[in-house]
Amino acid sequence: MTDDDTPTPDGGHATPADAALEAGEEEEHLPPLSSIRRWLVTTNHKDIGILYISTSLFFLVFGGVLALLFRAQLWTATGQLLPAISYNQAVSAHGLLMVFWFLSPIAVGFGNYIVPLQIGAEDLAFPRLNALSYWLYLFSGLLFAVSFFQGSTWAGGWTLYAPLNVPTYLPSMGASAAVLALGMFVASVTVGGVNFITTIHRMRAEGLTYRRLPLFTWTMLLTVWMMLFAFAALLAALVILSADRLFGTTYFATTSPGGSLLWTHLFWFFGHPEVYIVFFPALGVMAETFQTFTGRRIVGRKWFIIAMVLVALQSFMVWMHHMFLTSINLQIKTLFMATTIGISLPFDLMVFALIYTMLKGKIRFTTPFLFSFGALVLFILGGITGVFLGAVVLDYSFRGTYWVVAHFHYVMVGGVTALIGGIYYWFPKITGKMYDEFLGKVNFALFFVGFNMLYFPMFVVWQTPRRVFEYDPAFTPWHQLATVGAFILGISFLVMFYNLLKSLRDGADAPANPWEYATTAEWAVDSPPPFENFPGTPSYADGHLSFRTEDGEQHTPAGTAADGGTDAEATTDD
Amino acid sequence: MHGLLGGVTVLEQAVAAVGGGIVPRGTREAVFNQIFEVFLALGTLVGIVVIGYMLYNVYKYRDHGGTDTDDGNRPELGEIPQGGGGGRKLFLSFALSAVIVISLITWTYFTLLYVEGGGAADTEDALTVHVEGFQFGWQYTYPNGATTGTLRVPEDRPVRLIVTSSDVFHNFGIPAFQVKTDAIPGQTTDTWFVPDERGEFVAQCYELCGSGHSFMQSPVIVMSEQDWQTWYQNTSAPNQSSTITPPPTITTPA
């Protein structure tokens, strides 16, 4: 971008000298990007975004290798690759790593990098808290990794059901370390959440009202609000559990009446919103990429947002549908069946909104769009199979089987699909380099084929109980197909890493906005953006993004029409 | 809740008035299979229609470089985020999907009421067996106090199960008869099934419960009523104390 020396259509001449000088001074406090010290001391949201994304990809590989291990074990109906307790550790750690240390953090990484740019903020509200939140995340993950070497790590499933979670049954030091790692992770999430909430509510550009917030920012806002309340329940559960494990209390002991049920309530009160916490940012990426690559504004945008807000609220009222077979009574089952169906309906609206956005479009099959489109297909399949689980009578039979495993992988890894689209979408912005489009398409093809080969057979042999390695020999061919799919899926990630690293080194320089029809503010600044993000104070007050400098001049970003904005009402933030 | 359930009862009577055949009843497998088949057929249909429509449109509106189909009214960089038109179609599709989902679930709800009300096991001659899960097996206690590690039941007689656990959270299930319930320490859950096929089946744990979880199975043997009676008469409660020996007849649950 050449804002600094190109006269803009409105005649204004952009010389944000003061801002640039200030930015330079700020950045001088930090070592250069090539220095390792920079990454240890940085508080800049873009640096921390990169740290989050890279670290989460490390944990993706970690959790993925564990998955390949147990998929290899499932090659035969009586697999012997891992001893029983190691198998349980593999499935438990896979779930915990993917849900906590990969899915949420990669979204938070995008949020860190993109949200301030989208809303016109220089940084998050509390940059040092942001750094704290990242380092808590990293160290919690490392603590979890260390737990593998402390006898045994967590082997009680990612749901940590009581009373298996007390030392009587899982006595190893590693299991306690895993619980403490989770607690530390919750601290990271809470600190980060407060930061995002403050930033999005208080630091938006002039004229950027809630109705006008870019959809990715909307999804992040709802995500962090859900995090704030959901993770509080998890923290409560973890504090009690830690007391049981470390100080000898007996809240969740076998002899504690109701202790077991208490855990399921606390866990699922967190656990169900968590599903949307990991899925919403993916939805945001889908909304952004559908808009950009179809060249169409989201259909029914207002209703899309309302639907998301409804889901965020309702997500706290469905948790007992994970407990239909516990001792809860018929009235409660009825209520939670109703709320469960209720929460599925806003998603129908969002799915249709995305589909109809394609109509009259000018669709370009770039890698980010392919991943987003694929994600929508997978999410629809996940949604349809979810309705099966909403029928309580069917749920009774599906409980604890591969139907559940297949369903939530279609939903959650469907979300991952969109997030990979997000990696490709924002890679030019973050690195200043274009990725290799051909390799990107190869990546998508392998990913999509591998994904369906891995998870679809699980619907076919859904009668297989979860987390067992001895199953009906009649199911063997389908499980072998799934294992082959798992390895293809794994290879697709090797292609992705190769593409990203190769492009980082040899890729063509990315322009400020490599995508036609992108609208949001991150594309109006250089790739990568300057340290202080914008060449002036961003404002939408005159109906169009412009940057105001201190001497009263303003200019619009290159490539945008100055006559585009007629909607000149300057609505205040609140 | 009373209002809600009251309304449902009225609805149920209405459905029953229309025709009792609508609501699946019978054994657990029969109920499951009927509902599952309908869901599978409709789910496949909806999936094909929706994904087919997506593929059709993504191909139809692909960018072939030529004329712009939307009069050049394209999003611009830096514009205030706003929505596109097409709300009418959106709401029609939404309403349609809502109707399908809500009617499907409501339909299954009547079966849920049937199942929860005891279903086919809501009879005098149902056999009640207490099941206790432990790491890593199942113990069955019969009305006469006898305990076994193999569940033996007579063919075609409904069985009521009262399930709990003596250590960790388990889940008891017999896939062949589509019966399943949580086994929770300090709590009991109950469920029922009709063993309508003679032979040997498997009961299995469906909740991760420790290193032996994969092997936590026990045989379920369905015998003829006569064979079962013979077997049952020869069982006796362990540590029989003369005062509290229950009569060797089958009692119904209180």
Side-chain angles (χ1 to χ4, degrees), chain A residues 239-279:
Chain A
V239 167
I240 309 174
L241 178 58
S242 300
D244 272 10
R245 294 197 62 90
L246 303 175
F247 308 130
T249 56
T250 56
Y251 292 101
F252 296 124
T254 301
T255 49
S256 167
S260 193
L261 212 56
L262 172 66
W263 178 268
T264 55
H265 280 294
L266 287 174
F267 183 83
W268 288 116
F269 187 80
F270 147 78
H272 201 83
E274 172 68 5
V275 175
Y276 304 114
I277 288 169
V278 300
F279 189 74

Side-chain angles (χ1 to χ4, degrees), chain A residues 293-470:
Chain A
F293 295 107
T294 62
R296 293 262 300 151
R297 299 178 187 92
I298 289 287
V299 168
R301 187 176 193 277
K302 184 173 83 180
W303 295 103
F304 195 91
I305 294 170
I306 290 172
M308 290 196 299
V309 174
L310 277 176
V311 168
L313 292 171
Q314 289 180 63
S315 70
F316 290 93
M317 294 182 267
V318 297
W319 81 94
M320 278 194 243
H321 72 213
H322 298 272
M323 300 162 56
F324 278 146
L325 283 180
T326 62
S327 42
I328 59 175
N329 64 26
L330 177 62
Q331 283 86 336
I332 294 177
K333 285 177 189 173
T334 307
L335 180 64
F336 278 83
M337 183 189 81
T339 57
T340 300
I341 294 313
I343 204 168
S344 80
L345 299 179
F347 277 111
D348 293 2
L349 188 131
M350 291 186 242
V351 165
F352 287 123
L354 288 174
I355 293 175
Y356 290 137
T357 298
M358 297 193 299
L359 270 59
K360 297 191 189 163
K362 208 173 157 187
I363 300 170
R364 284 138 299 143
F365 294 95
T366 57
T367 305
F369 181 75
L370 287 174
F371 272 100
S372 284
F373 185 83
L376 188 57
V377 170
L378 301 174
F379 183 66
I380 288 169
L381 294 175
I384 291 173
T385 52
V387 174
F388 284 61
L389 290 163
V392 183
V393 186
L394 296 186
D395 179 86
Y396 283 170
S397 286
F398 290 138
R399 159 90 164 92
T401 67
Y402 267 64
W403 186 279
V404 177
V405 177
H407 158 71
F408 74 70
H409 279 87
Y410 262 88
V411 174
M412 287 201 171
V413 191
V416 174
T417 313
L419 291 171
I420 297 170
I423 294 179
Y424 280 107
Y425 185 55
W426 283 308
F427 182 82
K429 178 54 59 187
I430 293 173
T431 63
K433 302 281 186 181
M434 293 305 290
Y435 61 84
D436 185 315
E437 191 65 59
F438 173 74
L439 283 176
K441 290 193 164 91
V442 171
N443 179 6
F444 172 74
L446 285 172
F447 180 95
F448 198 74
V449 170
F451 180 109
N452 286 294
M453 274 176 74
L454 170 56
Y455 299 120
F456 198 81
M458 294 183 186
F459 284 124
V460 182
V461 289
W462 68 266
Q463 292 257 21
T464 317
R466 276 176 85 171
R467 298 153 167 167
V468 303
F469 47 87
E470 282 240 333

